[in-house]
Amino acid sequence: MSQSQSHDHCQCHRQKHRHRRWLVVGSLIVVVGLGSTLWRGAIGQDRPGTDRTASQAAETAIPPVVDPEAVSHAKSLSRAFRAVAKAVQPTVVKITTSTKPQRMGSSRGMPQGNPFKGTPFEDFFGEGDMPGFQFRHPPIPRRQGVGSGVIIDPKGIILTNNHVVDGADEVTIELPNGEVYKAVEIKTDEQTDLAVVMIEPDEPLPAATMGDSDQMEIGDWVLAIGNQFGLEGTVTAGIISGKERSLAPNRRAELLQTDAAINPGNSGGPLVNLDGHVIGISTAIASTNGGYQGVGFAIPINLAKWVTAQLIESGQVRRAYLGVEIREVDAQLATELGVRPGEGVAVERIFPDTPAAAAGFQADDIIRTFAGHSVTNPRELQEAVERSQPGTKQRVDIVRNGKPETLSVVVKPLPKDFGTARGPSLRHGRGEDTPGYTSDDLGLDVDDLTEELAEKLGYEGFAGVVITGVDVDGIAATAGISEGMLILKVGSKVVKSVADFEAAMKGESLEEGILLLIRAKDSNRFIVLQAS
């Protein structure tokens, strides 16, 4: 074979191979195309017998259910939450408290020496402690707690709850940037559950802006920020669920109620509005299991500002007082006194040697305004009086016997034990001569009216039984009965002694209602006791 023939043969051979490769590739394309057609048919596209185009399929597809306007509003609220959190979180601190471990031993009243002295085992041991043993209680370990606080002054002044720092030997403040400081000074007010903690930072700190809690209304959005379960800077959202709530630990505060999640560790943290202003300090929750159940409470910031200013200035809160026992004017009392329900606050009792006694207040006076502030319930009057400057003269508008009058009273500093003890107790020793009577159903104690009590309470010339104790959660207290009142009648029966009272009560029923004629100071009135 010549060289040219050999060349033609190789070329022909290569062409045959190329022809085979194209056949293989063509076969693959056919297979792939067929598979694609079968696949589209399997999922309902391009099925045999249909000529729907892709655009037609898109036109008949179910569109997503979206309301652009609603989504826009939701995103606006989300942006507001985000902005508030970003602005306030740098001002919220973590507060860690600890108490030193305590060891109870002989120095705390435990007996020293041989514990078996005077027993048959005395001879087994000498006068000292038992060898190798110390008769002491095990030590009480160091206790730690975690709460929250909010920086209210760049110099290092932090607002929190009293119960967060109460009883602590050491208080540590951790800033959001991780810096840690020891508290150098702590000032507290137990009656509002507020505390001011001071640190000495290396440079000015970011401080929160105080808002106006009086402007908050039910339904307003709020965010709670704190260290829930120790998780720093946790933010939860909710609304103001209620106002003017009262809780026993906060005797001097009407609280804001919120459904923003508040849990252990939130105490002392801020409750803020959508402007990023602090309008409350988280303080408590209502719960059956110790965790969040939708009901939380915060101290209004307007009260906190007043308390904080005094704590910073003098280390204590100076409150003014009148010296009266008051009650809300409900429908029943309003009818009796000839006023409208909620029109002022009714005076039930005037304590001796108090500003109210000096000003001439009388039982059944209706206080309508104090120092220019209208009052519709006892808490409003209490706050208006307490925030007055002690030693100043204040105008009080009242209704007495259906006629408007004006009194002037010089308020004085509130004694420490006033409002808790409510004056000297009227209970006296009950022996055979003064048996007394206690009614658990009514929630009150009564005693015979002695000459001493009659002179002390101003009941000379009257006969009846004096109320010497009232259960704050009982039916009597709910109806407005208080210690020091005199019961003249039970129903239509005159009572002159405890024996008379006990006998008269036997024919009465709480379900049907028990009518009492009561005297308090200078007037008589009827009160109905009835089981709810």
Side-chain angles (χ1 to χ4, degrees):
M1 183 183 297
S2 65
Q3 187 173 359
S4 61
Q5 289 177 327
S6 174
H7 176 72
D8 292 339
H9 175 75
C10 291
Q11 237 180 351
C12 181
H13 183 71
R14 283 196 294 271
Q15 287 175 351
K16 288 180 180 179
H17 278 287
R18 280 199 298 271
H19 181 64
R20 290 194 191 99
R21 284 199 297 272
W22 280 114
L23 286 175
V24 172
V25 172
S27 299
L28 289 174
I29 292 173
V30 171
V31 172
V32 171
L34 179 60
S36 175
T37 301
L38 292 174
W39 172 250
R40 285 198 298 270
I43 62 174
Q45 296 179 7
D46 297 334
R47 294 178 181 173
T50 65
D51 55 357
R52 291 169 46 191
T53 63
S55 61
Q56 289 174 328
E59 289 176 359
T60 58
I62 300 175
V65 181
V66 173
D67 183 339
E69 185 177 356
V71 171
S72 176
H73 285 310
K75 287 183 176 179
S76 295
L77 183 60
S78 179
R79 286 193 296 270
F81 287 168
R82 191 164 54 220
V84 171
K86 185 176 181 179
V88 181
Q89 276 182 318
T91 71
V92 181
V93 303
K94 180 179 180 180
I95 300 179
T96 304
T97 63
S98 64
T99 59
K100 297 176 182 178
Q102 300 176 7
R103 180 177 294 278
M104 296 182 64
S106 58
S107 62
R108 297 194 179 222
M110 293 296 293
Q112 300 185 51
N114 185 350
F116 297 107
K117 188 168 184 173
T119 73
F121 300 98
E122 178 180 358
D123 292 339
F124 284 91
F125 304 99
E127 288 299 318
D129 287 343
M130 291 176 61
F133 293 89
Q134 290 185 337
F135 285 87
R136 301 170 182 262
H137 289 299
I140 300 175
R142 177 184 292 271
R143 292 184 291 114
Q144 290 188 321
V146 176
S148 304
V150 58
I151 303 169
I152 60 174
D153 190 296
K155 295 179 181 179
I157 299 178
I158 296 160
L159 181 59
T160 185
N161 287 148
N162 172 68
H163 76 259
V164 170
V165 298
D166 185 39
D169 293 314
E170 188 175 87
V171 175
T172 302
I173 306 298
E174 182 179 343
L175 304 183
N177 62 9
E179 294 180 4
V180 177
Y181 294 92
K182 299 292 184 183
V184 296
E185 191 172 6
I186 299 174
K187 301 177 180 182
T188 65
D189 180 50
E190 181 181 358
Q191 296 197 47
T192 54
D193 193 30
L194 289 169
V196 171
V197 178
M198 300 181 182
I199 60 175
E200 295 177 346
D202 299 329
E203 56 186 22
L205 303 177
T209 301
M210 302 293 102
D212 184 355
S213 51
D214 290 342
Q215 298 301 315
M216 300 302 295
E217 298 293 342
I218 295 173
D220 286 347
W221 280 104
V222 289
L223 272 66
I225 305 178
N227 303 296
Q228 296 193 23
F229 300 109
L231 302 172
E232 292 89 343
T234 298
V235 180
T236 56
I239 61 170
I240 295 293
S241 306
K243 299 173 67 176
E244 300 177 355
R245 304 303 196 199
S246 298
L247 294 179
N250 304 81
R251 294 188 298 245
R252 302 283 173 180
E254 283 191 330
L255 306 178
L256 298 172
Q257 180 184 332
T258 180
D259 66 350
I262 293 177
N263 281 296
N266 261 118
S267 290
L271 190 70
V272 298
N273 61 17
L274 292 188
D275 294 320
H277 298 165
V278 179
I279 52 88
I281 299 297
S282 300
T283 186
I285 59 174
S287 174
T288 58
N289 59 17
Y292 169 70
Q293 290 186 306
V295 182
F297 302 95
I299 303 163
I301 200 62
N302 287 4
L303 173 61
K305 286 187 285 190
W306 177 72
V307 170
T308 301
Q310 294 200 67
L311 289 177
I312 294 174
E313 182 180 349
S314 63
Q316 61 181 350
V317 179
R318 297 185 67 204
R319 295 179 170 88
Y321 87 119
L322 285 179
V324 293
E325 191 169 294
I326 54 179
R327 66 172 289 192
E328 187 173 356
V329 180
D330 56 19
Q332 181 181 2
L333 185 59
T335 300
E336 183 180 327
L337 298 178
V339 296
R340 291 189 299 272
E343 185 181 356
V345 176
V347 176
E348 288 201 318
R349 180 182 175 192
I350 298 93
F351 292 95
D353 302 321
T354 63
F361 279 86
Q362 297 180 11
D364 288 342
D365 283 347
I366 304 295
I367 300 176
R368 302 178 68 180
T369 70
F370 179 87
H373 300 282
S374 296
V375 294
T376 60
N377 60 62
R379 184 75 69 174
E380 286 182 356
L381 176 61
Q382 176 181 290
E383 289 189 357
V385 172
E386 286 184 349
R387 299 189 194 188
S388 302
Q389 182 65 31
T392 60
K393 181 183 290 187
Q394 304 294 344
R395 171 175 170 159
V396 185
D397 294 321
I398 68 169
V399 174
R400 177 177 294 172
N401 298 324
K403 298 179 181 180
E405 293 189 25
T406 300
L407 299 177
S408 293
V409 59
V410 178
V411 294
K412 295 182 179 179
L414 176 70
K416 286 186 177 180
D417 59 348
F418 191 87
T420 53
R422 294 198 172 190
S425 175
L426 299 178
R427 285 191 178 89
H428 51 76
R430 290 178 174 174
E432 295 180 358
D433 297 332
T434 55
Y437 176 77
T438 297
S439 172
D440 293 331
D441 292 336
L442 301 181
L444 57 76
D445 300 329
V446 298
D447 281 275
D448 288 333
L449 181 64
T450 63
E451 291 184 5
E452 179 185 357
L453 284 176
E455 181 179 357
K456 181 177 184 179
L457 300 173
Y459 295 140
E460 294 96 332
F462 289 89
V465 291
V466 65
I467 298 171
T468 55
V470 178
D471 181 353
V472 294
D473 297 319
I475 292 174
T478 302
I481 288 180
S482 59
E483 185 180 297
M485 292 182 174
L486 188 68
I487 300 177
L488 305 175
K489 287 184 178 181
V490 176
S492 60
K493 298 175 183 177
V494 175
V495 294
K496 297 183 178 181
S497 64
V498 168
D500 290 344
F501 178 80
E502 193 170 356
M505 289 297 297
K506 290 181 180 179
E508 299 293 332
S509 167
L510 273 174
E511 283 68 31
E512 296 177 3
I514 302 174
L515 181 65
L516 302 180
L517 178 59
I518 299 288
R519 183 165 184 83
K521 276 296 181 180
D522 301 322
S523 62
N524 298 347
R525 69 172 183 267
F526 288 102
I527 291 180
V528 178
L529 304 182
Q530 191 166 16
S532 58

